[in-house]
Amino acid sequence: MSTSYAHGATVTKGTTASGESFRGEIFAYDDGAKLLVVRTPGEISNSYDLKFVNVAGAKDIEIDASTAKDPEALPTVDDPRRERRFEAACRAAKTAGDNIGENVSALAQDVFDALARTLPCKWNKDVIVVMDEVDVVGPKYDAASGSGQTPGALERVQKVLELERAKLGL
């Protein structure tokens, strides 16, 4: 690591190759790639924004090296928190993937997305299953059918379907 880009040092001024100015705390530097990572406080409390800067093309970089941190004093990684965040991201990705129909039309996916905003939905091949008891079948996806074990479920789904199709301009 280059001593001029020490972790924790403050970039008081800098300009990217495209002319964008930047400043902040040095989070990381890769000497081989000539890539500087600068962090600034984010809009959300206790969060940071990262900016990746190619220092080979950057100009007018000024650094206050007196603010650099001792590498031994770097924070440790909270492994349980990292693992929880990873698992939550995996669950979210799986849910997002499950909400994408296979071999369905764009209309079917639009109707599914609209219904899923207000009601629990899932795909059963090309049939939208709402609340585990009402089916919305193609090719038009304009009518709900099913046993409706829950009183009023079929009527509720039909009403939401009509409203969402109207919002979609169908």
Side-chain angles (χ1 to χ4, degrees):
M1 177 189 229
S2 171
T3 55
S4 61
Y5 295 116
H7 176 78
T10 302
V11 177
T12 57
K13 176 183 160 189
T15 307
T16 65
S18 63
E20 185 180 348
S21 64
F22 65 94
R23 59 183 55 176
E25 178 185 344
I26 295 176
F27 185 71
Y29 177 69
D30 183 338
D31 195 35
K34 302 292 184 210
L35 188 66
L36 177 66
V37 182
V38 178
R39 78 176 189 169
T40 56
E43 293 181 16
I44 300 172
S45 150
N46 296 324
S47 71
Y48 294 93
D49 294 329
L50 298 177
K51 180 164 195 67
F52 295 82
V53 179
N54 179 352
V55 296
K59 303 174 263 186
D60 305 323
I61 299 176
E62 294 179 8
I63 297 174
D64 179 2
S66 67
T67 58
K69 296 178 180 166
D70 177 12
E72 299 299 318
L74 295 178
T76 58
V77 174
D78 182 351
D79 284 328
R81 180 174 183 249
R82 179 194 52 80
E83 188 63 30
R84 285 191 307 272
R85 291 181 68 187
F86 175 75
E87 289 169 3
C90 287
R91 280 192 305 274
K94 182 180 180 336
T95 299
D98 289 344
N99 287 342
I100 299 172
E102 293 183 31
N103 300 319
V104 297
S105 66
L107 168 68
Q109 188 64 54
D110 288 345
V111 170
F112 179 94
D113 293 341
L115 284 170
R117 281 194 291 271
T118 55
L119 298 169
C121 298
K122 64 182 177 184
W123 285 105
N124 181 7
K125 297 185 183 172
D126 64 345
V127 176
I128 302 170
V129 180
V130 186
M131 299 171 30
D132 286 328
E133 56 186 282
V134 178
D135 296 340
V136 180
V137 181
K140 292 185 179 182
Y141 294 92
D142 59 353
S145 63
S147 61
Q149 300 285 339
T150 306
L154 183 58
E155 293 80 14
R156 179 177 177 205
V157 171
Q158 187 62 45
K159 183 68 174 171
V160 171
L161 179 61
E162 289 171 11
L163 292 172
E164 293 298 341
R165 286 181 55 87
K167 285 181 190 175
L168 292 170
L170 304 173

